[in-house]
Amino acid sequence: MIEQFKQNRDLSDDELKILIETDEHESNLFKAADAVRRENYGVDVYIRGLIEFTNYCKNNCYYCGIRAGNSNVERYRLASDRILACCDEGYDLGFRTYVLQGGEDPYYTDDMLCDLVSEIKRNHGDCAVTLSLGEKSRESYEAFFDAGADRYLLRHETASEEHYGMLHPDSMSLERRKQCLWDLKDIGYQVGSGFMVGSPYQTTENLISDLRFLQELQPAMIGIGPYITQHDTPFRDFPSGRLDVCLRLISIIRLMFPYVLIPATTALGTIAPNGRELGLSVGANVVMPNLSPVAVRRLYGLYDNKICMGDEAAECRMCLQRRVEAAGYKIAIHRGDVKLKVESGVAV
Ligand code: SAM
Ligand code: FES
């Protein structure tokens, strides 16, 4: 089955179900995914410096620790000069991509964000800027793109309407989320999407719909990680997602989308001490260490026991280098754009 998957880059829903739920083909799946990753990206691991610049959010996603309804969070916002200083520090550490991420925080107007993006590009013209600011209007996405933003990360979270409704309040909709992703693609961003593994009420059928939606969207990056419990959310009593299922899904995604950028996420490193190394060994090729000031790190508490809370950016960078090299891979010092090959109109 795995050889056929590698050749065709697809399987039936029934076959996918077996790969997701059982360990029957696991070792072949992992080996094939690593082989495909090496064919496309060698042993290179792309790094992105993550700057979590605001933990204010107007949304109330039931799984998220910084949701508006969580009154136990101490809120913070970083001013532009602090964000720019994080970028400068990151540049010296070899980062050539900055990811600006935050809750949906209306305090930052489009003008402020455009100024920030163009200032980063002015200071570091050889770097890519990735935004991860949630749902915005098409006009806002266009303005950020015109200001120089290269990429946008927006997980679809789940491609099932019914499941989406179980994870989010009625004010949010899957249709709107998907529209944002299509707008971003149309504007010309390198788009990243993805989902949590093991989120409350998730079924294997939901995961298969996630893969089918990604086949339609053909994003440049697919970020998946385990759902992890946060003690102040309505989902506080649900268990976190499983490591083995996450790893199998990383491999499945690598075989379906040979070219795609797949991060070994912080959440994966949180549920297992060597989670990120394992992720890299089964198909992932990106890591996103934290460049946010240490003083605010613990306040961006999406989930419990998040790793790397106390380490300075330089320590994080060195720790990751050791981990990446121990796993047999090598950090690449460049923007790390997706290697998108297009054959007869279809990304492969
Ligand atoms: N506001 C932006 C958005 O909605 O895309 C970016 C910030 S949001 C916190 C980034 C991602 O964190 C979400 O897409 C979600 O998948 C993930 N996340 C939130 N809560 C989580 C949890 N409890 N466990 C694992 N991942 C979580
Ligand atoms: Fe907005 Fe999580 S609810 S970032």
Side-chain angles (χ1 to χ4, degrees):
M1 179 170 18
I2 300 300
E3 201 40 47
Q4 178 204 337
F5 191 8
K6 198 174 160 190
Q7 300 277 311
N8 300 343
R9 303 190 194 110
D10 206 358
L11 285 178
S12 69
D13 287 2
D14 289 341
E15 289 166 321
L16 285 172
K17 190 171 163 75
I18 294 170
L19 288 192
I20 294 170
E21 288 183 351
T22 75
D23 61 4
E24 208 182 317
H25 300 277
E26 193 181 79
S27 68
N28 282 342
L29 174 67
F30 289 167
K31 272 190 222 136
D34 188 46
V36 168
R37 157 281 194 249
R38 284 170 193 262
E39 275 164 30
N40 288 279
Y41 288 96
V43 292
D44 283 357
V45 171
Y46 294 174
I47 53 172
R48 280 81 167 90
L50 180 63
I51 304 171
E52 297 161 335
F53 69 97
T54 171
N55 71 351
Y56 281 84
C57 188
K58 65 179 169 62
N59 288 337
N60 251 317
C61 307
Y62 299 145
Y63 44 83
C64 183
I66 61 167
R67 60 200 300 273
N70 184 2
S71 51
N72 291 331
V73 184
E74 188 187 323
R75 304 283 171 175
Y76 73 91
R77 293 185 173 110
L78 297 184
S80 293
D81 55 348
R82 273 188 99 188
I83 300 173
L84 293 170
C86 290
C87 295
D88 293 343
E89 188 183 2
Y91 194 88
D92 293 339
L93 292 170
F95 290 99
R96 296 296 178 266
T97 288
Y98 306 112
V99 181
L100 304 187
Q101 192 184 78
E104 287 192 23
D105 181 0
Y107 167 86
Y108 295 89
T109 61
D110 286 2
D111 284 348
M112 285 164 78
L113 291 165
C114 287
D115 286 349
L116 181 61
V117 170
S118 38
E119 187 69 20
I120 296 174
K121 295 294 270 199
R122 228 187 335 270
N123 295 346
H124 303 293
D126 54 341
C127 292
V129 173
T130 303
L131 299 177
S132 179
L133 316 172
E135 297 174 18
K136 302 266 179 187
S137 68
R138 186 180 171 114
E139 292 68 40
S140 300
Y141 289 148
E142 276 168 353
F144 306 151
F145 189 76
D146 292 343
D150 304 271
R151 310 184 185 130
Y152 204 101
L153 304 182
L154 185 76
R155 289 181 173 182
H156 65 277
E157 312 295 1
T158 172
S160 146
E161 292 277 0
E162 194 191 352
H163 189 218
Y164 196 92
M166 293 172 168
L167 301 182
H168 303 96
D170 289 345
S171 53
M172 298 178 73
S173 83
L174 178 60
E175 199 189 346
R176 163 106 188 93
R177 193 97 182 157
K178 283 186 174 173
Q179 189 54 52
C180 287
L181 286 162
W182 291 116
D183 285 345
L184 288 162
K185 244 201 129 173
D186 196 42
I187 292 166
Y189 284 96
Q190 289 180 34
V191 173
S193 195
F195 54 90
M196 288 176 290
V197 176
S199 58
Y201 311 109
Q202 186 179 62
T203 62
T204 304
E205 285 64 34
N206 294 153
L207 289 168
I208 295 169
S209 324
D210 289 324
L211 298 172
R212 298 296 178 216
F213 171 65
L214 292 167
Q215 284 179 319
E216 268 178 64
L217 182 70
Q218 293 287 336
M221 177 154 170
I222 299 178
I224 64 163
Y227 157 75
I228 302 179
T229 317
Q230 204 284 351
H231 62 279
D232 277 324
T233 67
F235 285 160
R236 65 179 68 82
D237 295 327
F238 284 89
S240 298
R242 278 169 43 183
L243 176 70
D244 58 346
V245 182
C246 284
L247 295 177
R248 296 202 283 264
L249 276 156
I250 288 176
S251 292
I252 290 170
I253 290 170
R254 172 58 64 210
L255 293 186
M256 270 191 173
F257 309 93
Y259 63 87
V260 87
L261 298 168
I262 307 177
T265 55
T266 305
L268 198 59
T270 298
I271 58 163
N274 59 343
R276 285 171 298 174
E277 292 90 319
L278 289 172
L280 291 175
S281 71
V282 302
N285 61 337
V286 175
V287 284
M288 298 170 64
N290 210 315
L291 272 185
S292 315
V294 175
V296 300
R297 291 269 182 95
R298 66 179 179 81
L299 303 178
Y300 201 80
L302 307 183
Y303 46 77
D304 293 341
N305 305 316
K306 197 172 160 203
I307 52 170
C308 311
M309 288 302 204
D311 295 338
E312 293 290 346
E315 289 170 60
C316 268
R317 168 73 174 79
M318 292 315 144
C319 162
L320 263 183
Q321 175 138 352
R322 279 195 302 277
R323 286 169 181 270
V324 165
E325 285 174 5
Y329 303 94
K330 201 173 112 290
I331 285 181
I333 307 287
H334 54 63
R335 280 168 49 118
D337 288 301
V338 67
K339 290 189 183 172
L340 197 54
K341 289 184 222 145
V342 177
E343 278 174 14
S344 50
V346 181
V348 295

